[in-house]
Amino acid sequence: MKSHTRVVVIGGGIAGCSTLYHLTQEGWSDVVLLERNELTSGTTWHSAAQVTNFGMNQTMVGLKTHSINLYKELRDDADYPVQYNHGDGGIRLANTQAQMDGYRHFASMARGMGVAFEVIDAKECARRHPLISTDNLVGGLWDGNDGDIDPASLCQALARRARKAGAEVYRNTPVTGLTQHKDDSWTVHTDQGDITCEIVVNACGYRVNEVGAMMGVHHPVTSMEHQYFVTEDIPAIAEAGHRMPLLRCPISDYYCRQEKNGLLVGFYEQDCKTWGMDGIDPHFVNALCPDDLDRITDVLEGAFERMPALTEVGIKTIVNGPITYTIDGAPLVGPVPGKRNAFCIIGLRAGLGEGGGHGWMLAQQIVHGEACYDTWCIDPRRFTGHTNVELTALKAIEDYQNEFRFHFPNEHRPAGRMAKTTALTPVLAAEGAEFTVVNGWERAEFFKPTPDFHVTHGFHFDESFPVVAAEVAAVQDAVGLCEVNGFNRFEITGSDARTFLDRMFCGRVTAKPGRVGLGYLLNHHGMLKGEATVANLPASDRGPERIWYGSAAASEFHDMDWLQSHVGADEDVQIASLTNDQTILVLAGPKARAVMQAVSRADWSAAGFPWLSVRECFIGYAPATVMSVSFSGELAYEIHVPNASLYAAYLALRDAGLAQGLRLFGAHAVESMRLEKGYLHWKADILTEFDPFETGLSRFVDMVKPDFIGKAALEKRVAAEPTKQLVTLHLTDDSAPAHGGASVMHGEGVIGTVTSGGYGHRVQKNLAYAFVDAGLAQVGATFDIDRLGQMVPAVIVDPAQYDPHMARVRG
């Protein structure tokens, strides 16, 4: 065995083999894979191995398309062909119009990635799959590229190609420990000796947290027992003359595909079972769990009703094996939070179907720092410290039980709720709050007019529409109060803090005491990495001079990793997280100043506390740090309060607001107002696939600065013609918003993709943001948006549809 290599990949299933192969494709040949037993001896060997193009967002569709194209290439390799049944087609069934709307949206989204889905009715479903009944069936989504692949030959083929490119694979080599050194390199300890490397990759399937523990981390991944059986031959299949399409049924929680002349039928039963939470037998290799068909009786009955042929055939084989789930069901592919030179590719519940793409994404990140797609939807840092074993298990069970039921917009499922709360959570609940979840935090979405008020989840505007409109009107005409918990907040100190931040941001960073600025961080490719506010707090009895860095609630681990990785060894910079110590109360509206003046002795006049100011003060007797910034487009104050004093500050503001007509408002109202102002959301509109000029943020870039991260790459991009531009679109139809991922059409061609959309209640317009071809991005240009299967006309308008000159914000 080598004593040194560049990368060690731990795990010989589809995740590890795909990563190893793609590292060689990106030009790194000095790489090694370690497998404790034989390749594919974990979950991979018993996978049902379905390969679909379906994904919940464009990144997932893109990596699945890469998988399919790679697998076709491997199938056609004359020297080592892989058994791949490509193009059998597959149907996802639906028994409600809301589900069909979802399928129409996913078809529009996939269209922008060059993938053709087809929405078909019940009769056509039965024509394409003659074994199914149309009872209680509305229609389905057809994926013509659906198929299945042989797991063992796939992984062997990837390993073979990686070896030919210079990689090495060591089987029967268990990893016994990991040691990280001061230079961030690693020593991987095995029972065959030690190997040092620059980078370690955890690709360990259901043993993910055994290796995680060696690094001192816990990953929010758990395993579920999953059963499928293979039937005896079915005459109708043998007589069909073609392979049967795959089937996925959210109505009865099962799937099936052809296996020889029978069917492989798998189940996602409600009485499901976690596996391995108390440890895994080290000898559990190429092994299965005991059969337990009694557990799937409920879903089996539904499968019998949908496919009566199943009642007339015997069972040949039963498989019950563990598959991994993350806390939100999506994989964890990317940097390990809080660690240097450590990556993971784990939680691949549909590993065979997606694994080719996941390894491709990860190899790009390791070699180049970023992938060609924005990978936030699979980034391990999208979760923070609340993701313990118990919470992960609850969410895994919920995801398993809803395997084929996608999340509707604004649908927040019940498992694991109240994981992160503040003292105001029960108070706002008593006020009628309907909550959304942001990185585990319970945040008010809107306030119900009556206790029995509820909304119907779907892709159209729902019953909360007039409620949100009233909340927006209160903010516009009087004053509103909103809790923003979980907002990411770092305190940055040290003699080099300002020069450090100046290097991190692509624009000017304000150094004036008592002032706040907004800025953007780029990666080394000149693309957008992050968005943050910087507030300069003068020295006071609460602390020395310091800088507060604030960013999106979900960015806590992401931004900390990025900032800390760029602090020089000789720089005096300290970064401390205050994210879980303080909460923001947003007071917004033309009467907000009067409320502030009633609860604080400070001068809140426009002259005494102008826009983009920050000061420490008291709200009543609650200590607070207040910033004059606005995400609503109205005069507003961000009131940062220590959690111990949050309720006191809330009561003071609530009582003082009574005389001014104060009303509580939630996240839906904020979303409506920010769309009208042209304000962007990180990881909705701000993506690593685009630079700041393409995203309409040129005013935040200072190319005259001597240097900043990404400047050299950005200069090259500026010299070239831009290909995309973010624009604001006004839809002529108000029945439904344009959801993120919807395709923007010019004639018959796709020229862009919607990033976010919603209704602007103050301007009374249905708005959307979209990246479109730069050559067509002029105000007044008209397009169609493929919204839920219908072409809806839309016109490009100015980004700031409400108060473009900022008169209301400045007060």
Side-chain angles (χ1 to χ4, degrees):
M1 188 173 72
K2 278 186 173 182
S3 61
H4 180 78
T5 189
R6 197 166 194 177
V7 181
V8 169
V9 179
I10 308 172
I14 181 58
C17 291
S18 177
T19 301
L20 190 76
Y21 166 73
H22 283 97
L23 284 170
T24 66
Q25 292 296 293
E26 297 299 327
W28 284 17
S29 59
D30 183 14
V31 291
V32 163
L33 183 147
L34 302 178
E35 164 55 42
R36 71 194 307 272
N37 194 263
E38 296 289 344
L39 298 186
T40 75
S41 59
T43 295
T44 300
W45 79 270
H46 61 73
S47 169
Q50 301 168 89
V51 183
T52 175
N53 238 343
F54 180 81
M56 296 294 291
N57 53 59
Q58 287 193 324
T59 295
M60 296 299 287
V61 172
L63 65 86
K64 291 183 178 187
T65 298
H66 176 84
S67 295
I68 289 171
N69 291 335
L70 172 62
Y71 298 169
K72 287 195 295 183
E73 180 187 339
L74 295 172
R75 176 199 63 188
D76 298 335
D77 185 340
D79 293 333
Y80 194 93
V82 172
Q83 176 60 40
Y84 177 28
N85 297 308
H86 169 259
D88 292 346
I91 310 173
R92 291 174 185 269
L93 301 179
N95 65 340
T96 69
Q97 287 299 334
Q99 289 172 312
M100 293 294 285
D101 279 344
Y103 291 160
R104 294 183 184 100
H105 170 66
F106 296 135
S108 174
M109 179 191 67
R111 190 176 194 171
M113 298 299 288
V115 172
F117 290 155
E118 189 179 352
V119 180
I120 57 179
D121 62 20
K123 184 178 179 181
E124 184 63 16
C125 289
R127 189 188 72 79
R128 298 189 187 190
H129 200 307
L131 296 182
I132 68 170
S133 162
T134 58
D135 291 346
N136 189 32
L137 187 64
V138 175
L141 181 69
W142 172 263
D143 173 8
N145 281 310
D146 222 333
D148 66 272
I149 197 165
D150 174 55
S153 63
L154 169 61
C155 291
Q156 293 290 353
L158 292 169
R160 174 178 175 271
R161 287 193 171 194
R163 287 191 190 100
K164 289 180 69 175
E168 297 190 23
V169 176
Y170 302 128
R171 298 171 295 116
N172 299 305
T173 308
V175 172
T176 58
L178 294 168
T179 301
Q180 190 164 30
H181 307 290
K182 289 183 178 180
D183 64 354
D184 296 324
S185 67
W186 294 86
T187 295
V188 182
H189 308 283
T190 82
D191 64 1
Q192 304 294 317
D194 293 348
I195 181 169
T196 60
C197 61
E198 299 170 22
I199 294 168
V200 169
V201 177
N202 184 345
C204 292
Y206 53 68
R207 296 191 185 274
V208 52
N209 277 309
E210 293 179 9
V211 173
M214 296 177 191
M215 291 187 185
V217 299
H218 168 76
H219 298 286
V221 177
T222 196
S223 295
M224 304 293 299
E225 288 189 16
H226 177 61
Q227 294 186 97
Y228 65 78
F229 60 65
V230 178
T231 73
E232 296 175 344
D233 290 356
I234 298 175
I237 292 178
E239 297 164 3
H242 61 82
R243 287 182 59 83
M244 287 289 161
L246 288 81
L247 198 70
R248 297 171 183 87
C249 182
I251 308 165
S252 302
D253 298 301
Y254 82 98
Y255 62 88
C256 72
R257 65 167 176 82
Q258 185 169 333
E259 179 68 15
K260 297 183 179 178
N261 283 327
L263 289 175
L264 182 154
V265 188
F267 303 93
Y268 291 95
E269 69 279 7
Q270 298 304 294
D271 184 23
C272 54
K273 186 177 180 182
T274 58
W275 180 86
M277 287 184 64
D278 297 319
I280 301 170
D281 186 336
H283 303 293
F284 190 88
V285 175
N286 279 315
L288 294 171
C289 309
D291 300 343
D292 190 5
L293 289 183
D294 289 343
R295 205 170 68 228
I296 65 169
T297 300
D298 54 341
V299 291
L300 186 58
E301 290 176 356
F304 286 162
E305 293 175 1
R306 181 63 59 203
M307 301 181 72
L310 290 175
T311 65
E312 302 169 1
V313 66
I315 296 174
K316 187 162 55 176
T317 306
I318 301 172
V319 171
N320 183 20
I323 57 175
T324 55
Y325 275 72
T326 67
I327 195 167
D328 70 347
L332 302 176
V333 181
V336 174
K339 293 293 179 181
R340 302 279 182 89
N341 294 346
F343 294 81
C344 60
I345 176 168
I346 53 180
L348 277 60
R349 67 177 179 184
L352 267 295
E354 303 171 354
H358 289 311
W360 179 51
M361 292 287 101
L362 183 59
Q364 290 182 56
Q365 292 179 69
I366 292 171
V367 175
H368 307 296
E370 296 283 359
C372 58
Y373 304 137
D374 189 297
T375 57
W376 182 245
C377 63
I378 55 175
D379 195 303
R381 298 166 298 185
R382 69 188 187 271
F383 305 110
T384 54
H386 65 291
T387 56
N388 56 47
V389 175
E390 285 74 13
L391 181 62
T392 300
L394 287 174
K395 296 303 291 183
I397 290 168
E398 183 179 63
D399 275 328
Y400 186 94
Q401 292 170 332
N402 291 276
E403 177 67 29
F404 298 130
R405 285 184 283 275
F406 54 80
H407 280 78
F408 286 105
N410 306 314
E411 178 192 5
H412 313 293
R413 291 174 178 167
R417 295 298 295 270
M418 302 297 157
K420 290 183 179 180
T421 62
T422 72
L424 294 187
T425 305
V427 176
L428 298 179
E431 295 272 12
E434 183 73 21
F435 290 99
T436 183
V437 182
V438 181
N439 190 24
W441 291 95
E442 296 289 333
R443 188 179 292 180
E445 198 168 46
F446 62 88
F447 288 83
K448 297 179 286 187
T450 60
D452 59 351
F453 181 86
H454 70 278
V455 300
T456 304
H457 293 302
F459 286 81
H460 291 75
F461 290 118
D462 60 33
E463 295 86 351
S464 69
F465 188 89
V467 178
V468 175
E471 292 179 8
V472 171
V475 175
Q476 181 183 22
D477 299 334
V479 60
L481 183 63
C482 174
E483 181 193 43
V484 182
N485 49 23
F487 185 78
N488 185 46
R489 183 185 296 98
F490 299 150
E491 187 168 275
I492 304 177
T493 56
S495 59
D496 295 318
R498 295 202 180 280
T499 56
F500 166 71
L501 286 174
D502 191 57
R503 187 174 76 251
M504 298 300 296
F505 284 84
C506 64
R508 187 178 65 86
V509 180
T510 180
K512 188 175 180 181
R515 299 295 289 169
V516 181
L518 177 66
Y520 293 85
L521 301 90
L522 310 184
N523 60 29
H524 295 282
H525 303 282
M527 314 299 258
L528 283 165
K529 186 74 173 178
E531 176 192 61
T533 55
V534 173
N536 299 315
L537 276 63
S540 70
D541 57 357
R542 299 183 195 173
E545 180 181 298
R546 58 212 184 278
I547 301 168
W548 275 14
Y549 170 109
S551 57
S555 71
E556 181 184 357
F557 282 6
H558 173 279
D559 284 14
M560 182 63 83
D561 273 2
W562 185 250
L563 294 175
Q564 287 187 332
S565 68
H566 288 88
V567 176
D570 58 348
E571 283 188 301
D572 176 24
V573 177
Q574 295 81 46
I575 307 172
S577 178
L578 304 179
T579 300
N580 298 309
D581 300 331
Q582 304 218 7
T583 295
I584 298 173
L585 295 173
V586 172
L587 189 72
K591 297 183 179 180
R593 181 173 287 121
V595 176
M596 290 296 288
Q597 205 64 66
V599 298
S600 172
R601 291 182 291 113
D603 178 5
W604 299 102
S605 67
F609 194 69
W611 181 50
L612 297 180
S613 296
V614 59
R615 71 158 52 121
E616 292 175 322
C617 63
F618 290 90
I619 301 299
Y621 49 80
T625 302
V626 179
M627 302 180 194
S628 179
V629 294
S630 176
F631 202 50
S632 63
E634 305 289 349
L635 172 67
Y637 303 95
E638 271 190 10
I639 305 166
H640 300 244
V641 185
N643 285 336
S645 305
L646 180 62
Y647 186 46
Y650 170 83
L651 288 177
L653 292 165
R654 196 83 165 92
D655 291 347
L658 290 175
Q660 307 299 332
L662 182 144
R663 178 168 179 161
L664 299 175
F665 67 100
H668 279 352
V670 174
E671 179 71 2
S672 170
M673 292 185 284
R674 73 98 183 171
L675 285 167
E676 297 170 310
K677 288 295 295 177
Y679 297 157
L680 309 182
H681 260 170
W682 184 70
K683 293 307 179 188
D685 318 301
I686 299 170
L687 304 167
T688 58
E689 295 176 36
F690 304 99
D691 67 40
F693 295 107
E694 293 172 312
T695 313
L697 299 171
S698 58
R699 66 192 183 279
F700 295 100
V701 182
D702 182 5
M703 297 300 289
V704 179
K705 284 177 64 172
D707 194 25
F708 55 81
I709 290 175
K711 182 180 179 182
L714 187 60
E715 286 175 332
K716 292 179 181 178
R717 293 185 62 83
V718 170
E721 288 293 324
T723 58
K724 293 291 183 181
Q725 187 67 49
L726 186 68
V727 298
T728 302
L729 294 164
H730 171 211
L731 282 68
T732 59
D733 179 274
D734 291 346
S735 62
H739 297 279
S743 289
V744 183
M745 309 296 297
H746 185 57
E748 295 297 316
V750 178
I751 55 93
T753 299
V754 171
T755 57
S756 56
Y759 197 80
H761 288 283
R762 291 174 298 192
V763 299
Q764 296 186 7
K765 292 180 180 179
N766 193 5
L767 301 172
Y769 296 162
F771 280 100
V772 302
D773 290 350
L776 301 173
Q778 293 85 34
V779 171
T782 58
F783 308 106
D784 288 324
I785 295 178
D786 181 359
R787 188 194 65 183
L788 307 182
Q790 294 184 332
M791 295 300 166
V792 178
V795 59
I796 296 180
V797 295
D798 290 320
Q801 286 291 287
Y802 181 75
D803 187 28
H805 302 295
M806 306 289 283
R808 295 179 72 88
V809 171
R810 298 173 189 272

